Amino acid sequence: MNRILPVVVALCGACGVDSEATVVAPEAPFAVTSGGLGALPTSPLPDIPSIERDLVLVKANGALSRPHVPPFKTTQDGRLALTNEGKLYVNRPEGLTQHVLDGPPGTSLTSEVGSAQLALSSVVVPLANAALPGASLDMTAMCDPTPNQPRPGQPRNPYPCGPGQRSDCYDVTVVVSLLGPSTSSGALRKALLSGLPVTIEVADPKTPQARIVRAQPGPPSFGPVLSVRDLFEPVVTEDGRLLVTRVSNTDLKWPDDQGTLRSGVSHDTAYSVYDERFAPCDVTRWTQLWPLTHAPYHRAVRSRYGFAKYPFRDPEGNLIADGDRFKGTYPWMDRGGKNVFFTTVAASLYYLDAQGQPRSKYEAACLPGVTCNTQPTLQDIQVMQGTWPYQHMGVAGLWTHGKMVSVDSVLSHLDFPLFSGASQQRMLKLFTPGTGPATVADQSGWVQAGSGRASVLRPLSSSNGEMIESLESLFAFNPNFATRSPRDVVWLMSNGKATDEVEFDDYLDLDTLIFADMRASLTQDDPGYFGNNQRMHYRDGFRYDFAQGWNHRGEGFVGEKRLQNAATTLRLKTPAFGRLTSDPGYSSRIEPMALGGIKGKGLWLDSGSRVTWTLEPQPALTSQDWYVALFVDQRQTFQGDAADLLTFPNGGKVLTFNAQYVGYLSPQNELFFVALPPALAHQDKRYNHYAFALQDGGRRVDFYLNGLLFWTVQDDAPILAMGPGALVLGKSGARQGFRGWVDEVKVVARVPDAELACNHARGSLVGLTGPSPELSRALRYPPSTHAGISQALARRSRPTYAAYACHHDTLAPDGAPRRASVGVRLTQDFRFPEGPLVWSAPRPDSTGNAFCLTCHAAGQVGGLGLGALTRGTTPLIADPRRQPSMWPAFQSGNFPANFLAPGVPASHVTLAPPGVQGFDLWLFK
């Protein structure tokens, strides 16, 4: 590697004024109103981001603006989907002609053709009224206890049926929640669960022509009458014995494991569970409701379900006590009960100022050509944004070690609960006009804030924008459902408005100290927050004084700003959050929409602003090598001066020079810097990925540029070193700080291999052979970089190549490649060199696989221990262990010829349980 000799230079100590020229903004294509919709006075707005996203999601006419997988409850194979209203659809991945995220707006996965409506009002309601007079239908759930591994004599869906046994039949239980008549505001009401057995026949199964030809209900059963405020969003795990539901501010009375009857706390989310000795899907067994936070302390739950293996913590790491309120809502649990998903953020666009006048947090206008009320009353505001302002998808459970994390994606696209009507959506002035890159067509600085809450009932979707579901990896064998993200643990997830890939790798990583995805943090218990009894405090800096009902009084963005640390490991003492502060006259912003970032939200840093993470004393800080990475989109114009990008606890700094140079300033005042070739580093208002590997106590620093090692510096004294104290992003001292967009700051206690370093840059490592523009760019990296990757491949007994590239696209809406278009993708060569998997052979031993050990370790629970990595004792096809991104091992029913690929299978196959077909036999030859 290249060793750069130290150069001592004089650095500007008073650079704080941005010298960027003023740009005359084009006139906005609509009228900007004032008065009641006027925003607070603010500092200059951020520059226009480089990535354009359509975040309207639900248009004014109710149509979706993006491809969508509806958030319906499905059977275990994902092929039958159930709506809240009791309608059944067939999911047909074989009918997709392009990737599910690249299709036309709306859903291409299913259609109204071949759907079926269950007559719940005539089959269930009349009988329910005998136990609960005045009962009405509310919501439904699917209960299909089909095991992943076949067991002798156990029923399994689907099974062959119909003419010539060429149809697929399912025996499922539709769980229906029913509510009694409404009572006075705040009072409990009566509720009831019904279990409706239904046999469903699908003709031409697993083909683009699949359709329901029969949906035959049987006699319903009924559970006990429950006293709750609501019984919304029920969901049942794959074993058919755990029910999770929303009870909406109900003071539950529940026994703990010591038999003590507890109450006195208002709960939104609850569960019910019964013993494995009893048959699944039996609503008569769900007799007791417990608050969700009790699950980790409930032996009958934590011994069986991954989501309860760890006590819950809030996004700042604060323990949520047994029986305390779980301050998320709209729960959904994955099929295996590993994680619970929910909505997290309570925020609104409108509030009341000190004089009681309605205000908007940002300058707002009506949609072009639409008349809306520019002087809204409180009643208008409630119509505009509803009275239940929860937004953003969160997750907690096994894969987050119990910590609640607000997920950064299009599923968390908007802070505000605006409805989708034309007069309810708004244009917001979020950016400084004329500051975007040339690739951005709209330079006005105005953005349409579309539907953030719910929408009108429309075909093939949910009327509630906050409903959550995922097909997990059920269809991962289909190329049009294969994940595009270069990460390993990825699920396609949906709410009622959008579908996106959610990556769990950084939550699972045991060595991640900081993962700042540039979302505002959330505090579980803040007595000074007006909504503390029901919701977490959203730390975007807006200060509310109090609320009268939903009439929020606020002071403006004068409160503390905190950035979420989405690292969840318990191995390290992770900082609770990053604190965002600014010098007088400067202002940075935590984004209200999923704009400005690589995946979702980004952070705008002004040159007088900083984020500070406080690192607690711990042995790893000085004993480990460290990897520090971030995306930067620099918007400064320098006159030979530098800006602080990162300041380490030892006082060493990373400096930037207008995206043309990167340098280090050591505590000894030695400056090391390197030019960034335009062929490798974007210098036109686009994101670059910078990463720094600190080794030998910080005496050696490797610099990775857009995913590949570019520059190495070694010195006799530490240059950049970790330790107790402050890690600072942005201004730290007299010199000006970085100005621009920043995203995905990661601090990891190890140096990644070449593939994982490329993954952190949202790329995939590829091997290059013949001449190409990609090869020409790759050869701008040092020869030692390519030699090092070849050596790593040789150690794994894998083929090597002349050169390597980190294939990525920072202008794609998600910043990820669409599969390597050049070269040979090397992912499995690095992640699974002991492979490949073969259906008839045992799973190979992976206990020495460094990549697997980033998430698996001795003492980890729920499948994350080392037992998941040991050599198999049976052929793969009989091994119950599955990686999260793998499809189910077994399927049953009918398989058409060429189902998976030409000749696979060669002819139609019909298999009845227990003669199920192992996909591994077809796919892992």
Side-chain angles (χ1 to χ4, degrees):
M1 297 297 170
N2 298 328
R3 181 176 185 272
I4 306 298
L5 297 176
V7 180
V8 180
V9 299
L11 295 173
C12 174
C15 303
V17 179
D18 181 11
S19 60
E20 193 168 52
T22 301
V23 179
V24 178
E27 185 177 352
F30 44 82
V32 179
T33 59
S34 57
L37 289 176
L40 289 170
T42 61
S43 298
L45 296 171
D47 284 8
I48 295 171
S50 60
I51 299 174
E52 293 184 281
R53 294 191 182 98
D54 180 354
L55 294 182
V56 175
L57 301 191
V58 183
K59 299 179 181 180
N61 63 1
L64 294 171
S65 68
R66 299 167 64 99
H68 190 227
V69 176
F72 300 153
K73 305 301 185 290
T74 64
T75 49
Q76 293 305 319
D77 65 355
R79 292 185 175 274
L80 284 181
L82 175 71
T83 73
N84 270 331
E85 298 76 29
K87 193 166 187 177
L88 290 163
Y89 292 99
V90 182
N91 284 333
R92 300 179 291 201
E94 293 78 21
L96 297 175
T97 57
Q98 56 187 320
H99 195 276
V100 68
L101 293 179
D102 290 333
T107 181
S108 301
L109 185 62
T110 186
S111 73
E112 290 292 328
V113 177
S115 62
Q117 178 68 55
L118 296 175
L120 300 179
S121 59
S122 60
V123 174
V124 176
V125 173
L127 294 174
N129 271 274
L132 182 59
S136 60
L137 291 170
D138 191 33
M139 295 186 176
T140 65
M142 178 77 78
C143 191
D144 171 20
T146 296
N148 284 328
Q149 290 291 125
R151 302 169 194 169
Q154 187 167 13
R156 183 181 182 87
N157 288 321
Y159 55 89
C161 66
Q165 298 289 290
R166 288 297 187 100
S167 294
D168 275 1
C169 275
Y170 297 77
D171 293 330
V172 302
T173 299
V174 174
V175 177
V176 183
S177 65
L178 301 108
L179 293 176
S182 297
T183 59
S184 59
S185 177
L188 297 182
R189 62 199 298 191
K190 302 299 183 181
L192 191 66
L193 286 174
S194 175
L196 180 68
V198 184
T199 297
I200 304 154
E201 181 181 345
V202 178
D204 295 323
K206 304 182 184 75
T207 73
Q209 295 76 39
R211 63 200 181 278
I212 297 171
V213 295
R214 177 168 59 101
Q216 181 65 47
S221 59
F222 295 93
V225 174
L226 304 169
S227 294
V228 292
R229 281 198 65 188
D230 292 305
L231 207 58
F232 292 158
E233 289 86 47
V235 61
V236 182
T237 51
E238 65 187 5
D239 68 346
R241 296 176 180 88
L242 176 67
L243 171 86
V244 177
T245 189
R246 178 174 151 220
V247 293
S248 296
N249 303 322
T250 296
D251 184 357
L252 300 172
K253 294 177 174 55
W254 52 278
D256 60 22
D257 275 11
Q258 287 70 46
T260 302
L261 190 65
R262 299 174 60 178
S263 63
V265 176
S266 176
H267 295 284
D268 183 85
T269 306
Y271 69 90
S272 189
V273 68
Y274 63 87
D275 197 280
E276 293 175 287
R277 295 173 298 170
F278 302 107
C281 306
D282 184 354
V283 297
T284 68
R285 299 287 176 184
W286 287 317
T287 60
Q288 174 67 55
L289 291 171
W290 287 271
L292 191 66
T293 57
H294 178 57
Y297 305 92
H298 191 168
R299 285 190 298 270
V301 178
R302 71 169 181 262
S303 62
R304 291 156 56 188
Y305 303 101
F307 85 97
K309 296 295 184 182
Y310 298 96
F312 291 120
R313 295 175 288 148
D314 79 355
E316 296 180 346
N318 302 304
L319 184 68
I320 301 174
D322 177 10
D324 199 356
R325 183 184 177 99
F326 188 90
K327 295 180 181 178
T329 188
Y330 293 100
W332 178 79
M333 189 159 294
D334 62 57
R335 288 159 179 78
K338 296 182 287 293
N339 306 282
V340 60
F341 298 81
F342 45 88
T343 57
T344 57
V345 169
S348 59
L349 177 61
Y350 295 96
Y351 66 99
L352 303 181
D353 64 16
Q355 288 73 44
Q357 296 300 308
R359 287 284 181 182
S360 168
K361 291 178 179 176
Y362 301 93
E363 187 176 352
C366 307
L367 299 188
V370 174
T371 300
C372 68
N373 192 341
T374 59
Q375 299 289 335
T377 65
L378 292 179
Q379 184 177 6
D380 294 332
I381 291 174
Q382 289 192 354
V383 170
M384 218 178 299
Q385 62 182 31
T387 58
W388 193 250
Y390 276 103
Q391 302 295 303
H392 298 196
M393 190 182 80
V395 59
L398 180 64
W399 291 354
T400 68
H401 306 97
K403 187 175 180 179
M404 301 172 75
V405 175
S406 183
V407 174
D408 184 50
S409 81
V410 175
L411 300 171
S412 303
H413 77 296
L414 178 65
D415 286 358
F416 314 128
L418 299 175
F419 284 91
S420 59
S423 63
Q424 298 163 329
Q425 297 190 26
R426 288 291 179 266
M427 301 296 300
L428 301 180
K429 189 174 184 181
L430 297 182
F431 307 112
T432 300
T435 56
T439 54
V440 173
D442 184 358
Q443 296 281 329
S444 70
W446 288 82
V447 178
Q448 182 175 347
S451 176
R453 174 62 175 85
S455 58
V456 297
L457 183 64
R458 58 195 187 279
L460 300 173
S461 194
S462 169
S463 61
N464 191 324
E466 305 311 314
M467 302 296 291
I468 297 169
E469 232 277 1
S470 173
L471 289 170
E472 301 177 18
S473 55
L474 296 175
F475 298 148
F477 56 84
N478 187 311
N480 289 322
F481 257 88
T483 56
R484 301 190 303 193
S485 166
R487 306 312 298 272
D488 184 55
V489 184
V490 183
W491 278 354
L492 200 70
M493 301 201 69
S494 299
N495 57 21
K497 305 181 292 291
T499 297
D500 200 4
E501 288 185 348
V502 174
E503 302 144 329
F504 298 91
D505 297 55
D506 293 308
Y507 309 148
L508 284 159
D509 197 316
L510 297 170
D511 292 328
T512 297
L513 181 72
I514 296 172
F515 174 31
D517 51 8
M518 300 311 163
R519 305 191 62 78
S521 188
L522 290 149
T523 307
Q524 166 77 5
D525 189 16
D526 179 8
Y529 175 55
F530 79 95
N532 190 55
N533 63 323
Q534 293 188 16
R535 64 199 74 170
M536 293 183 284
H537 186 179
Y538 184 52
R539 299 289 194 163
D540 66 344
F542 192 87
R543 181 181 294 163
Y544 291 103
D545 291 329
F546 64 91
Q548 295 176 332
W550 295 102
N551 306 333
H552 304 163
R553 287 188 180 271
E555 297 180 44
F557 288 96
V558 294
E560 183 181 19
K561 297 178 182 178
R562 298 181 180 180
L563 289 169
Q564 171 178 257
N565 180 11
T568 75
T569 180
L570 295 169
R571 178 184 286 178
L572 303 170
K573 297 178 182 179
T574 58
F577 51 82
R579 193 184 305 274
L580 176 60
T581 57
S582 298
D583 292 343
Y586 295 91
S587 178
S588 289
R589 189 171 76 192
I590 297 175
E591 284 300 278
M593 295 180 67
L595 297 164
I598 284 287
K599 178 68 175 179
K601 291 187 174 185
L603 175 69
W604 174 258
L605 265 186
D606 208 341
S607 54
S609 301
R610 69 199 59 78
V611 180
T612 304
W613 292 275
T614 301
L615 309 185
E616 294 187 46
Q618 52 191 303
L621 289 179
T622 54
S623 64
Q624 299 286 113
D625 291 338
W626 289 90
Y627 172 84
V628 181
L630 71 168
F631 283 95
V632 295
D633 177 356
Q634 191 153 340
R635 299 297 178 94
Q636 277 153 318
T637 300
F638 292 100
Q639 302 297 325
D641 296 323
D644 292 339
L645 178 61
L646 290 167
T647 302
F648 286 79
N650 75 325
K653 292 178 178 288
V654 176
L655 307 176
T656 59
F657 303 79
N658 197 30
Q660 297 177 13
Y661 298 87
V662 166
Y664 314 137
L665 183 63
S666 75
Q668 296 75 37
N669 206 37
E670 293 178 319
L671 176 66
F672 310 81
F673 66 94
V674 67
L676 306 181
L680 303 181
H682 305 300
Q683 298 175 350
D684 55 351
K685 297 184 177 181
R686 288 179 62 182
Y687 269 112
N688 287 296
H689 190 257
Y690 295 167
F692 310 90
L694 317 182
Q695 301 168 80
D696 189 22
R699 296 173 182 84
R700 169 175 169 165
V701 181
D702 288 346
F703 172 57
Y704 293 74
L705 175 60
N706 291 326
L708 287 181
L709 179 60
F710 181 68
W711 180 47
T712 294
V713 174
Q714 290 179 290
D715 201 28
D716 296 332
I719 305 166
L720 308 175
M722 299 291 284
L727 177 67
V728 181
L729 168 68
K731 181 176 172 60
S732 178
R735 188 181 303 103
Q736 67 178 328
F738 175 90
R739 180 181 183 273
W741 292 99
V742 185
D743 201 5
E744 296 194 357
V745 176
K746 299 179 184 179
V747 180
V748 185
R750 68 172 185 278
V751 178
D753 62 30
E755 167 67 16
L756 190 53
C758 178
N759 295 164
H760 283 302
R762 292 201 167 268
S764 295
L765 194 67
V766 296
L768 304 174
T769 52
S772 67
E774 194 79 32
L775 178 62
S776 299
R777 286 190 294 271
L779 294 178
R780 298 296 300 271
Y781 287 90
S784 54
T785 294
H786 302 287
I789 297 173
S790 288
Q791 292 166 9
L793 288 168
R795 286 195 300 271
R796 294 165 168 82
S797 301
R798 296 293 183 176
T800 60
Y801 301 87
Y804 304 89
C806 181
H807 177 69
H808 64 278
D809 183 1
T810 55
L811 283 184
D814 55 5
R818 295 294 182 268
R819 297 287 170 189
S821 57
V822 295
V824 180
R825 190 169 182 178
L826 304 178
T827 300
Q828 292 307 309
D829 291 341
F830 279 89
R831 287 187 185 163
F832 196 51
E834 59 270 31
L837 296 174
V838 179
W839 74 270
S840 58
R843 177 182 284 273
D845 182 79
S846 295
T847 54
N849 184 315
F851 174 77
C852 297
L853 295 175
T854 62
C855 302
H856 294 267
Q860 289 277 93
V861 296
L864 294 177
L866 294 179
L869 308 181
T870 57
R871 179 177 173 81
T873 58
T874 65
L876 176 70
I877 199 167
D879 194 326
R881 298 174 296 178
R882 304 295 288 182
Q883 289 148 270
S885 294
M886 291 175 66
W887 49 84
F890 289 90
Q891 297 276 328
S892 57
N894 286 272
F895 299 85
N898 308 312
F899 171 58
L900 293 172
V904 184
S907 60
H908 187 103
V909 174
T910 301
L911 288 171
V916 293
Q917 174 63 57
F919 267 23
D920 293 352
L921 183 147
W922 281 336
L923 296 171
F924 293 133
K925 294 185 177 180

